Amino acid sequence: MRFRAFARAAALAALTTSIVLTGTLGGTPAQAETNQLRIAQQFGIAFLPLIVAKEQQLIETKAAAAGVPDLKVEWLRLSGAAAMNDALISGGLDFATAGVAPAILTWDKTRGKVDIVLISSLGSMPNVLTTNNPNVKTIKDFTDTDRIALPSVKVGFQPIVLQIAADKAFGQYDKLDHLTVSLPHPDATTAILSGTGGITAHFTSPPFVQQQLASDKVHAVLNSYDVLGGPHTFNVVYGTKKFATDNPKTVAAFVAALDEANAWIKANPAEAAKLYIKAENSKLDPALIESIIRDPQINFTTVPERVDVFTEFEYRIGLIKQKPGWKELFQSGLHDRGGS
């Protein structure tokens, strides 16, 4: 009996030593977390939390505190969702950024293949449909002579919100699709303010909304918050499920960095506006940027809001084959934050 007890104790000691020395069972070293994080950053105030995290090196600091020392963060500029998704799938990118509606489409299309997971929300921010046509008061007033500019027709964030609005107004979600044209926000802003190019409306986000509404030539037709019944997530960060599984400390550090960036933005709106202007080499008035940051409708937060409204609609009209709840879309570190 004493021999067996001694043998068990010796075996336990050997196992403990193996875990301490190798970080795992069986003597196989545990896989270390990544030493680099490649993030696709886009332009616009919606991405301010990423700009703050970058300029203040918050991700590196949080990662070091979590036991991931010397993490190198690389910031990439990629044009368009297609290029971004290609880079993510091919392994040339770790975190992509996009509107929540098209990110859900990517989640569905890659399901069972690459498998992506949404890492975090970048905040809740209303998008506004504007027009220079004085006869258009609601979307029911658009005629075949109108043209609605969007960054990407049918599958982008704004066209999907427009489809939700059309579904409510006409009982036909694609009623206005034939009026939409793809045009970048800056070009559409120039067109609608100048009255050129045949563009009579533009579904857009800050700061383009504020720039347009400052003119007496343009007025608002609808606000996406009204369409979806309240504040909703605008943009998200997403990556492959494999990367998130292999690098839990890095993912947690990234979210913690965004949380700190969001708190700093809210506490220091004037400084955040100046940082944005400098980092983006923007010619916009810092006072305009500060007013946007202070807008009570805008909330920089990592918590997903009303994501389920998008999944429900996209599933109902056949854009996606699966209907996930928001917790199925987002990594588990956000599940206890009261999202929707």
Side-chain angles (χ1 to χ4, degrees):
M1 292 293 292
R2 290 182 178 179
F3 176 78
R4 286 198 296 270
F6 176 78
R8 285 196 300 270
L12 179 60
L15 179 60
T16 302
T17 300
S18 174
I19 295 173
V20 170
L21 292 178
T22 68
T24 187
L25 294 173
T28 302
Q31 180 179 340
E33 293 219 348
T34 183
N35 61 2
Q36 70 170 0
L37 180 61
R38 298 159 298 178
I39 306 170
Q41 180 186 340
Q42 296 196 51
F43 297 95
I45 295 174
F47 299 94
L48 181 56
L50 290 177
I51 294 172
V52 173
K54 175 184 178 181
E55 296 298 319
Q56 298 184 1
Q57 295 189 317
L58 298 180
I59 302 172
E60 295 90 335
T61 301
K62 296 295 184 182
V68 185
D70 303 320
L71 178 69
K72 179 182 178 182
V73 180
E74 183 179 357
W75 298 87
L76 307 174
R77 297 280 194 180
L78 297 177
S79 58
M84 198 174 305
N85 287 335
D86 287 345
L88 185 68
I89 292 170
S90 66
L93 180 67
D94 300 311
F95 286 168
T97 53
V100 63
I104 294 169
L105 296 180
T106 303
W107 177 92
D108 186 70
K109 289 180 180 179
T110 61
R111 186 175 171 85
K113 302 171 185 176
V114 176
D115 283 331
I116 72 160
V117 63
L118 277 58
I119 303 298
S120 175
S121 165
L122 283 176
S124 295
M125 185 174 295
N127 281 230
V128 177
L129 177 61
T130 64
T131 184
N132 59 14
N133 185 344
N135 297 319
V136 175
K137 306 301 181 183
T138 74
I139 61 173
K140 290 185 176 181
D141 298 324
F142 283 119
T143 69
D144 286 343
T145 62
D146 287 295
R147 289 296 178 267
I148 304 170
L150 306 162
S152 178
V153 299
K154 292 188 178 181
V155 297
F157 176 87
Q158 291 84 4
I160 289 178
V161 175
L162 183 61
Q163 288 180 338
I164 296 174
D167 191 50
K168 292 182 176 181
F170 304 105
Q172 180 182 346
Y173 73 88
D174 58 354
K175 177 75 172 179
L176 301 176
D177 282 5
H178 69 292
L179 302 181
T180 62
V181 295
S182 295
L183 199 63
H185 288 310
D187 295 341
T189 296
T190 299
I192 198 171
L193 289 174
S194 65
T196 60
I199 300 300
T200 60
H202 183 201
F203 209 161
T204 187
S205 58
F208 307 103
V209 171
Q210 289 76 9
Q211 288 178 276
Q212 293 175 26
L213 295 183
S215 167
D216 58 5
K217 300 177 181 178
V218 179
H219 64 273
V221 178
L222 63 78
N223 183 306
S224 62
Y225 277 13
D226 295 330
V227 176
L228 271 76
H232 59 75
T233 293
F234 177 26
N235 288 307
V236 296
V237 180
Y238 60 96
T240 66
K241 188 173 291 186
K242 183 180 186 307
F243 181 90
T245 301
D246 291 346
N247 301 281
K249 293 181 181 179
T250 303
V251 169
F254 175 79
V255 174
L258 290 187
D259 286 335
E260 184 169 326
N262 292 336
W264 184 84
I265 291 168
K266 293 172 184 177
N268 305 277
E271 290 82 354
K274 293 176 182 177
L275 186 150
Y276 174 83
I277 293 292
K278 181 179 180 181
E280 296 293 276
N281 194 27
S282 173
K283 296 180 180 179
L284 292 174
D285 184 353
L288 172 65
I289 303 301
E290 182 180 349
S291 69
I292 294 172
I293 294 171
R294 291 182 180 275
D295 187 334
Q297 285 196 315
I298 292 176
N299 181 28
F300 294 105
T301 176
T302 57
V303 179
E305 291 190 282
R306 283 184 168 79
V307 173
D308 286 340
V309 178
F310 289 100
T311 57
E312 172 65 34
F313 177 76
E314 291 181 25
Y315 177 74
R316 181 163 60 83
I317 69 171
L319 280 177
I320 58 177
K321 296 179 180 179
Q322 304 286 334
K323 187 176 73 172
W326 76 268
K327 288 186 177 181
E328 190 175 354
L329 288 168
F330 284 85
Q331 53 92 11
S332 60
L334 298 180
H335 290 181
D336 62 351
R337 297 195 177 198
S340 60

